[in-house]
Amino acid sequence: MNNNMLSFMLVLAATSMLGACSAQDEAAPTGPLNAADTVAQVNKSEEEWREALPHMACFVLREKGTERAFSGEYWDNHEKGHYQCAGCGQALFDSDHKFESGTGWPSFFQPAEGSAVLEKEDESYGMRRVEVTCSACGGHLGHVFEDGPRPTGLRYCINSAALEFAPDSTSVKGVRYD
């Protein structure tokens, strides 16, 4: 192996190790976020989040908590509009994509168009699930399961405390399914 090739391999190895060290979470995000999408990042200290958010929203968004089933504000909401992140205000879900799952949490079959949410493996509590987070502030929203309705077959099971509802006639668009 020549010196140029050896140098290249060392630089490549070092770069990949640095990338792994800078990851915020143990699992790399996957899902609706595309490489071409850009999202304004919201960075606050945990103390700033505690001061800015109500207790339950902070518990869910920052500590990955879960509200009790059928206790949240939006599980039975049927108004037209869109749901935003309670932490940063980013549009996350459209009311046209909400459905009755019977679980006691707001459920959606797809997120807003673009890069509204990130998905990553979650093996906490001895379960294998896919966590859903806000792509702008990193707040925990809930989980996504593969038992939803057509056209996606997905159920984004989201905590009401992680959401704010904006009733209006302008809805965020989702991916078009033929």
Side-chain angles (χ1 to χ4, degrees):
M1 188 179 309
N2 65 33
N3 283 341
N4 287 340
M5 183 62 126
L6 182 59
S7 295
F8 173 76
M9 291 177 66
L10 287 173
V11 168
L12 184 62
T15 304
S16 66
M17 286 193 300
L18 287 174
C21 292
S22 67
Q24 288 185 338
D25 296 301
E26 58 279 348
T30 62
L33 183 67
N34 297 316
D37 294 329
T38 57
V39 175
Q41 295 298 301
V42 177
N43 295 308
K44 294 182 181 182
S45 70
E46 290 307 312
E47 184 176 325
E48 289 172 314
W49 283 117
R50 281 192 297 277
E51 290 174 10
L53 295 171
H55 174 73
M56 183 54 83
C58 190
F59 172 66
V60 171
L61 288 165
R62 307 314 309 167
E63 299 175 30
K64 299 184 181 191
T66 301
E67 62 197 5
R68 287 188 335 265
F70 303 101
S71 70
E73 184 176 359
Y74 303 122
W75 74 270
D76 198 28
N77 183 29
H78 300 283
E79 291 183 60
K80 290 284 189 188
H82 65 272
Y83 295 84
Q84 305 170 161
C85 177
C88 68
Q90 175 173 237
L92 300 171
F93 298 95
D94 185 275
S95 62
D96 289 340
H97 306 137
K98 189 173 187 283
F99 68 97
E100 296 297 324
S101 66
T103 63
W105 288 278
S107 296
F108 306 86
F109 62 81
Q110 72 182 35
E113 183 176 349
S115 55
V117 302
L118 298 176
E119 299 172 7
K120 62 184 173 182
E121 292 294 317
D122 176 6
E123 294 184 3
S124 61
Y125 304 107
M127 295 181 275
R128 295 194 76 171
R129 302 178 290 177
V130 177
E131 179 186 16
V132 179
T133 62
C134 173
S135 64
C137 70
H140 171 80
L141 304 172
H143 292 86
V144 61
F145 303 94
E146 294 181 347
D147 60 359
R150 290 181 171 200
T152 65
L154 299 174
R155 173 174 53 96
Y156 288 83
C157 187
I158 308 298
N159 289 280
S160 287
L163 301 172
E164 289 181 351
F165 182 71
D168 60 27
S169 60
T170 307
S171 299
V172 294
K173 300 292 182 198
V175 177
R176 181 183 167 145
Y177 293 91
D178 293 324

